[in-house]
Amino acid sequence: MQRLSHLLGTENLTREQITFILDQSKPFQEFQRYPLKKLATLRGKTVAVAFFESSTRTRISFTTAAARLGADTMALQAESSSVKKGESLIDTVRTIEAMRPDGIVIRHASSGAPEFVAERLEIPVLNAGDGTHEHPTQALLDALTIRDRKGGLEGWNITILGDILHSRVARSNIHLLTKFGARITLCGPAMWVPRELENMAPGLRCTTCIEEALEGADVVMVLRVQTERIHEPALAAEEYILGYQLTAKRLRLARPDALVLHPGPMIRGLEIDPVVADGAQSCVLEQVTNGLAVRMALLYHLIGGAPVDAPHPAKDRSNASD
Ligand code: NCD
């Protein structure tokens, strides 16, 4: 298998690489249940975690994943850094690189920022979300959740609800899941689900009718409504709720064993009814836990540099530092 040198998106990953990352994540999932959660696998390595845009779960998840592998982290928070003083992206990341981290995790409001950085630095770059472009670790953790719950990743009917046009989560999921034969329905208000999106990948269908979108779905992925994009009179929150909120009644149109996924942060009462968010079909917290496992697998692969067939660090307990 072709080793990854960066993780910039899911568009250019092969099925084999995706399956490898998901397989490598499995023992790290088990590992999250151990009473002592620290390995020595990346001891002496440093991971820079540079967030130029706000984040709760992705930032904490990457930082915790690095710590559980034994690595140190260097954190950059844009709000409290020289970015505020007008320093350019490349100067900021070159400054971080001069402190010799072994890899950098980057979130940025501009689409393409991680790729721009990867072309200029010598170390592995992991995209933690860039503008409206990609959020590959989110799609990988979603895939792990689907594969676990459904016993495989192949050929499901997946419905993605919300602002597809501006969603990096939707884009990364579309690229990943269509490689595994998913039939994906994109659903939301017309201005957020333009027909041209159907050209993104084979097997894509766009609709503005939520009932049609949910019929027979195996997985319903609900996106956060980016409230900054709700502008009356074009679209009021009440209209969105009436037309597109995932309610228990609507969910009954999907298959009885359909999974409900949400990348967070959830706005309860807007895109999702709290009854569904907390219901038996919801995988929201499992997604968060799986995020740790996927990020540990990626940091291990990209920064640890071990051969792809090396014994897995979470299985080989002689490697534990506890
Ligand atoms: C998403 C993001 O920031 O792209 N959240 C996340 O990383 N879990 C989704 C969102 O903010 O809408």
Side-chain angles (χ1 to χ4, degrees), residues 53-54 57-58 107 128-129 135 138 168-169 224 226 263-265:
E53 203 190 58
S54 57
R57 67 220 82 222
T58 309
R107 167 170 287 196
H135 192 350
Q138 181 67 46
R168 54 196 177 202
V169 174
R224 176 178 66 100
Q226 306 184 23

Side-chain angles (χ1 to χ4, degrees), residues 140-167:
L140 285 161
L141 74 88
D142 289 341
L144 184 62
T145 308
I146 296 169
R147 196 175 82 162
D148 278 356
R149 286 280 198 121
K150 295 252 165 233
L153 201 50
E154 209 67 51
W156 299 114
N157 293 318
I158 315 250
T159 298
I160 311 184
L161 285 181
D163 180 358
I164 316 293
L165 186 63
H166 300 105
S167 173

Side-chain angles (χ1 to χ4, degrees), residues 271-322:
E271 68 263 13
I272 191 163
D273 183 327
V275 171
V276 175
D278 300 326
Q281 287 163 269
S282 169
C283 302
V284 172
L285 295 175
E286 201 172 311
Q287 287 172 272
V288 176
T289 312
N290 286 341
L292 268 175
V294 161
R295 292 177 179 117
M296 282 182 80
L298 287 161
L299 290 171
Y300 170 60
H301 178 67
L302 284 161
I303 296 174
V308 291
D309 55 355
H312 195 285
K315 281 186 180 158
D316 173 14
R317 297 296 290 142
S318 61
N319 179 45
S321 64
D322 48 63

Side-chain angles (χ1 to χ4, degrees), residues 22-39:
L22 299 182
D23 290 348
Q24 288 272 304
S25 303
K26 286 303 295 176
F28 286 127
Q29 259 177 325
E30 183 62 29
F31 173 80
Q32 309 308 323
R33 286 191 277 271
Y34 290 175
L36 300 174
K37 300 174 187 61
K38 194 152 183 99
L39 295 168

